[in-house]
Amino acid sequence: MIAGINTDLIVMAIWGLIFAVFVIKLFQSIRLVPTKSAYIVERLGKYHLTLDAGFHALVPFVDKVSYIHDLKEETIDVPPQECFSCDEVNVEVDGVIYISVIDPVKASYGVVDYRYAAIQLAQTTTRSVIGTLDLDRTFEERDVISAKVVEVLDQAGALWGIRVHRYEIKNITPPETVKNAMEMQVNAEREKRALLAKSEGDKQSKINRSEGVKTETINHSEGEMQRRINEAEGKGEEILTIARATAESIERMATVIAAPGGQNVVRMQLGAQYLKQMDGLSSSKSKVVLPGNLMDFDHWMNSIGLEESKTKN
């Protein structure tokens, strides 16, 4: 009887275990796939379907989620590696890859580990590209190196179900001796540029001073020329004014002489000036030689055509 009870307990335990396993498998067959994720389902070891975001129910004991892929863009660090440049300088290079899964099936079955494969391919491509460049160009041609790595990874990514969005080089570290030499070269270039800038400044300063002196000289000469022109024009205006005044006085004198009794008036004025000048000759300090007919005033008037007019009775 005891043996029968023990057998029943064992059978119940086995059925209970089977039921528990079935319940667990039943719950495991229910899948809630998050957004931007993909689950690869295998049925009896063979690819069956890809589960997109949402609720899914699988067949227990038959279907199995073998791979889970995150479809969001992810970054993968590329470890530092030693590369030799074209001029045989050893540099250490590291970077970062930005990739995303676009075909979950190929990412599951096209390569064992697409992340590891992408890192290895990025490192080998980087070494190949740097091997074609001089050390100085490796610092300048980062974009070229990145573009080449992205191109190679894209070609392989078509088979791996991934897309490489970009590859960025984080650091290019040369040996310490090369780094010191580069720093010395940079300092020398900086000092050279400073000397060139100083010489250019001195040159420009001298040019500016000479231009200032030149401009000042031109301004002085133009001012002197304008002053002389103004003086000449002033003298010309003065001469013209005097000439016009003299002409007007002569015209008026001629008008007065031509008028009745005009000659007598002129004779009177000339006589007054004549007597005034004769009075000045009386100085004891002056020695004057005069003609004999100096006192003959009528003769002087007649010589210039001013005869005394005679009154007719």
Side-chain angles (χ1 to χ4, degrees):
M1 184 176 179
I2 296 175
I5 295 173
N6 290 335
T7 302
D8 292 339
L9 290 175
I10 292 173
V11 172
M12 290 179 63
I14 292 173
W15 280 106
L17 180 61
I18 293 174
F19 180 76
V21 171
F22 179 78
V23 172
I24 292 173
K25 289 294 184 179
L26 182 62
F27 278 105
Q28 287 180 348
S29 65
I30 298 173
R31 291 288 182 168
L32 296 176
V33 181
T35 303
K36 298 293 290 185
S37 296
Y39 288 12
I40 300 299
V41 178
E42 294 180 348
R43 176 167 289 180
L44 300 177
K46 183 181 179 180
Y47 170 74
H48 177 57
L49 56 82
T50 301
L51 302 181
D52 297 327
F55 174 82
H56 300 274
L58 304 179
V59 179
F61 303 102
V62 178
D63 294 338
K64 175 187 176 183
V65 176
S66 300
Y67 300 97
I68 298 176
H69 294 288
D70 191 347
L71 303 182
K72 296 189 293 292
E73 184 177 337
E74 61 178 313
T75 60
I76 302 175
D77 288 328
V78 179
Q81 62 170 334
E82 292 184 351
C83 304
F84 284 92
S85 62
C86 182
D87 48 358
E88 299 298 330
V89 178
N90 187 14
V91 294
E92 190 176 81
V93 183
D94 61 348
V96 59
I97 306 173
Y98 298 84
I99 66 174
S100 61
V101 176
I102 60 174
D103 190 337
V105 177
K106 290 183 179 180
S108 301
Y109 302 105
V111 64
V112 176
D113 187 347
Y114 67 85
R115 294 182 179 87
Y116 178 77
I119 291 173
Q120 296 301 312
L121 187 56
Q123 287 183 326
T124 55
T125 306
T126 301
R127 285 196 297 268
S128 300
V129 176
I130 290 180
T132 62
L133 302 174
D134 295 333
L135 178 62
D136 293 338
R137 292 186 59 195
T138 58
F139 298 98
E140 302 172 358
E141 303 290 344
R142 290 185 179 224
D143 293 339
V144 175
I145 300 173
S146 299
K148 185 63 177 177
V149 172
V150 171
E151 179 184 354
V152 174
L153 287 175
D154 270 342
Q155 294 175 359
L159 301 176
W160 298 345
I162 62 173
R163 174 178 295 171
V164 179
H165 299 280
R166 55 194 176 278
Y167 172 72
E168 299 292 341
I169 295 177
K170 292 195 294 186
N171 297 298
I172 299 178
T173 307
E176 195 66 29
T177 55
V178 176
K179 187 185 296 183
N180 294 334
M182 293 176 65
E183 290 179 355
M184 294 176 62
Q185 182 180 0
V186 170
N187 292 332
E189 290 291 335
R190 187 179 296 111
E191 292 177 357
K192 177 182 177 181
R193 287 195 298 269
L195 291 174
L196 288 175
K198 183 179 179 181
S199 63
E200 287 293 334
D202 293 340
K203 175 183 176 182
Q204 191 62 41
S205 176
K206 292 179 180 179
I207 291 174
N208 292 339
R209 285 197 295 269
S210 63
E211 289 290 339
V213 173
K214 175 183 175 182
T215 303
E216 182 181 3
T217 304
I218 292 174
N219 291 338
H220 281 310
S221 63
E222 290 180 351
E224 181 66 21
M225 180 181 69
Q226 190 63 41
R227 184 185 66 82
R228 293 182 179 181
I229 291 173
N230 293 339
E231 289 181 353
E233 290 179 351
K235 290 181 179 179
E237 289 293 332
E238 180 182 1
I239 294 172
L240 289 175
T241 303
I242 295 173
R244 284 194 293 267
T246 304
E248 290 178 359
S249 63
I250 292 173
E251 290 178 357
R252 292 181 180 179
M253 183 66 71
T255 302
V256 171
I257 294 174
Q263 292 186 0
N264 294 331
V265 175
V266 173
R267 286 173 61 88
M268 291 177 63
Q269 290 182 351
L270 292 177
Q273 293 182 3
Y274 179 81
L275 293 176
K276 184 178 181 181
Q277 294 298 325
M278 292 298 295
D279 182 63
L281 296 176
S282 62
S283 176
S284 60
K285 297 180 180 180
S286 301
K287 293 181 179 181
V288 182
V289 178
L290 297 174
N293 61 346
L294 179 62
M295 300 305 294
D296 192 352
F297 178 73
D298 293 335
H299 177 75
W300 281 82
M301 294 295 103
N302 293 332
S303 64
I304 62 175
L306 294 177
E307 299 178 357
E308 183 178 2
S309 61
K310 297 179 180 181
T311 305
K312 295 182 181 180
N313 294 326

